[in-house]
Amino acid sequence: MTEPEQPDLGEQPGTPPLARTTLDRAAHRRKDDAWLAEAWTRGQVLVVDLDKGGRALVSDRPDGGVALVLVPSSEAPEAERWFLGEDLDGTPIWTVDAPVTASGGRRASTLREIGHLLDDRDAGLFTAAAALGNWHRSHAFSPRTGKPTTTVEAGWARADADGQLMWPRTDPAMIVLVHDGAAGPSGRCLLGHNAAWPTGADGVRRFSCLAGYVEPGESAEAAVVREVQEEVGIRLSSLRYAGSQSWPYPGSLMLGFHAVADPAQALRLDPEEIDEAHWFSRDAIAKMIAGGYVDPESGVPMSLPMRSSIAFYLVEKWLHG
């Protein structure tokens, strides 16, 4: 009897795609106005268009990846300057929020679209720029006093007229891939379709890990247990931290976990959160990644989240396990 051919799973994934960076944030420079003024003159600038979903100009690399297009400060649009840090060679890196125009082989892309295709330096730059810019956009007024705020500390704080400071905030959120703990092709993982997600124009329904915000006074681990119970009604037997990455839409830190549960438990979905959930085999997941999975019962094509997401990382990590 011939063994069935197994899909090529490729290389084991490394860190979450948006957790990579080589940037020295050089926080000790943020209050040094003289140094910052000089650093601007020799700096490189990443222009991010937050009005267009956080798009930046990128170009293709020969290896199949993409690279951010940075411009000298002398060519940067006139806008608020936010200091991201120093490159490995000491070059100051800045970002501004301004329109971008595709031309000459350069195209405008979002971090969602190309984050996984960037090298370590550019992944860190784009993630930091998008997160910082989104924070500035949402904090033009102080949440304590209601007064207008202005940028201070090279973009890493805002102050109102009374000198009251506020700093960029990150909201902790958990995301978990629940699986049955079985090794090999027979292993299965649980993915859900969010009730707010529309079916794609091509009829494809996207399935992902379960996720939710960590509530006040709650640990990340407790949030995992609670969210899984609330969204799909099952209990976990174990969980393990797997890694984290920023998700600047607008400002979350995604704390990733793998968890084990018994598939024999009945799924009880919260219809306001999850309108469909299934246990998928490793073979089905491999076909989803390859872009060719159709549910055998419903005939509906199904897909995974974008490759720049930590959800994809958690699924791919389990697939190779």
Side-chain angles (χ1 to χ4, degrees), residues 170-195:
T170 296
D171 297 320
M174 51 66 51
I175 183 166
V176 59
L177 180 69
V178 179
H179 61 90
D180 62 2
S186 63
R188 292 183 290 168
C189 70
L190 177 64
L191 300 177
H193 179 271
N194 192 295

Side-chain angles (χ1 to χ4, degrees), residues 217-240:
E218 186 178 44
S219 70
E221 292 82 359
V224 172
V225 174
R226 174 183 55 78
E227 286 284 351
V228 172
Q229 177 68 30
E230 289 176 356
E231 292 189 353
V232 295
I234 67 172
R235 296 188 178 278
L236 305 176
S237 58
S238 67
L239 70 152
R240 175 176 57 84

Side-chain angles (χ1 to χ4, degrees), residues 177-214:
L177 180 69
V178 179
H179 61 90
D180 62 2
S186 63
R188 292 183 290 168
C189 70
L190 177 64
L191 300 177
H193 179 271
N194 192 295
W197 293 343
T199 299
D202 53 2
V204 176
R205 283 173 70 81
R206 174 162 49 101
F207 284 77
S208 186
C209 304
L210 304 178
Y213 284 105
V214 179

